[in-house]
Amino acid sequence: MSDTRKVLRVSGPDTEHFLQGLVTNDVALLKDGLVYAALLTPQGKYRADFFLVPDGEDILVDVAEGLAEGLAKALTMYKLRAKVTISETDIAVARGPGPAPEGAYADPRDPRMGWRAYDGRPDESADWDALRVAACVPESGIELTPDTFILEAGFERLHGVDFRKGCYVGQEVTARMKHKVELRKGLVTVEVNGAAPVGSEITVGEKAAGVLYTQAEGRGIAHLRFDRAGDEMTAGDAVVRFAP
């Protein structure tokens, strides 16, 4: 999926309460900066991930352009009698590596992901794939799909889910995975020696062990079945190993 972003605006007297009952993270954390969160299906699977951005009494939603229309429709469907308005904006998203400059926000997922800003400043260049791989940060349309469970995608490590905030869509399944099940699958950073297209199956011997996704600088993000993963795996023409 393209890095192009769209910014939605949620406004109205019920804005915070409305979003609090839908998204995976605690909207009250907006007092400290950006909040990374997701909207799930009732079955606990990924629907969209985004950043919530404080903007006076309103909350902006910074989401991948390809997910924006569907997210806006979903929020509208959930609106019911809540006194909120969901609208598109023409706000541009800028990002850059390193500490956040004045007027920008630190990316809450991982310090290596730099900063984001919504005030019209230009992007600063960086090898974002390499930074994502190093921090094992998934991207919508690549590592994040409609079959994704967010705990397998690292959302707890990436500060994208709160287990104390109360109910939200998909909360029961997510909480059950957290408290009652040891994760058997998940995203990890691996070393990749050789060539393998994105989406290549990872195998150990004759057994499927996972899928290799984004790659940069000899490393990649892989979704692995931990019970099948081994010290040396293959994907395409590449040898895959757990990164130290």
Side-chain angles (χ1 to χ4, degrees):
M1 181 171 288
S2 167
D3 290 333
T4 306
R5 308 289 292 185
K6 177 71 77 171
V7 178
L8 307 176
R9 180 181 297 278
V10 184
S11 56
D14 293 342
T15 291
E16 184 170 329
H17 178 74
F18 168 68
L19 289 173
Q20 185 76 318
L22 294 178
V23 306
T24 59
N25 214 340
D26 188 352
V27 178
L29 296 174
L30 283 168
K31 68 183 186 303
D32 300 320
L34 297 186
V35 171
Y36 181 55
L39 180 68
L40 308 181
T41 68
Q43 295 75 34
K45 291 190 175 183
Y46 170 87
R47 194 165 186 169
D49 65 315
F50 38 80
F51 299 92
L52 301 179
V53 187
D55 188 39
E57 297 298 314
D58 299 348
I59 296 175
L60 305 179
V61 184
D62 166 5
V63 63
E65 185 176 48
L67 299 176
E69 182 178 357
L71 178 60
K73 287 180 178 178
L75 293 176
T76 299
M77 177 188 71
Y78 282 118
K79 186 174 76 169
L80 300 176
R81 296 181 181 177
K83 296 177 181 177
V84 296
T85 301
I86 297 113
S87 57
E88 289 192 4
T89 76
D90 57 3
I91 295 171
V93 180
R95 60 179 179 169
E102 186 175 354
Y105 297 95
D107 189 315
R109 297 174 296 181
D110 188 284
R112 288 169 285 190
M113 296 304 295
W115 53 265
R116 307 178 78 84
Y118 305 88
D119 55 6
R121 74 183 71 195
D123 272 341
E124 292 184 11
S125 60
D127 187 341
W128 292 107
D129 276 349
L131 292 171
R132 282 204 307 108
V133 168
C136 201
V137 172
E139 179 81 17
S140 56
I142 306 176
E143 293 87 12
L144 295 173
T145 75
D147 289 323
T148 297
F149 289 104
I150 60 167
L151 296 191
E152 293 182 359
F155 269 60
E156 185 174 8
R157 171 177 53 83
L158 298 172
H159 312 108
V161 59
D162 187 290
F163 294 102
R164 299 164 298 179
K165 58 162 281 186
C167 294
Y168 55 87
V169 177
Q171 181 263 342
E172 288 186 10
V173 174
T174 305
R176 192 179 311 126
M177 291 184 73
K178 164 68 174 174
H179 297 296
K180 296 184 179 179
V181 179
E182 182 178 352
L183 289 180
R184 294 174 291 183
K185 298 181 288 185
L187 293 179
V188 296
T189 298
V190 293
E191 292 183 343
V192 183
N193 185 5
V198 171
S200 293
E201 183 179 67
I202 297 172
T203 59
V204 176
E206 299 296 320
K207 291 186 176 181
V211 180
L212 181 62
Y213 292 108
T214 305
Q215 300 155 59
E217 299 180 350
R219 289 187 159 203
I221 297 175
H223 185 269
L224 292 178
R225 283 186 53 170
F226 300 131
D227 62 334
R228 291 190 178 180
D231 293 334
E232 189 166 296
M233 301 167 279
T234 58
D237 295 326
V239 174
V240 178
R241 299 182 179 91
F242 283 103

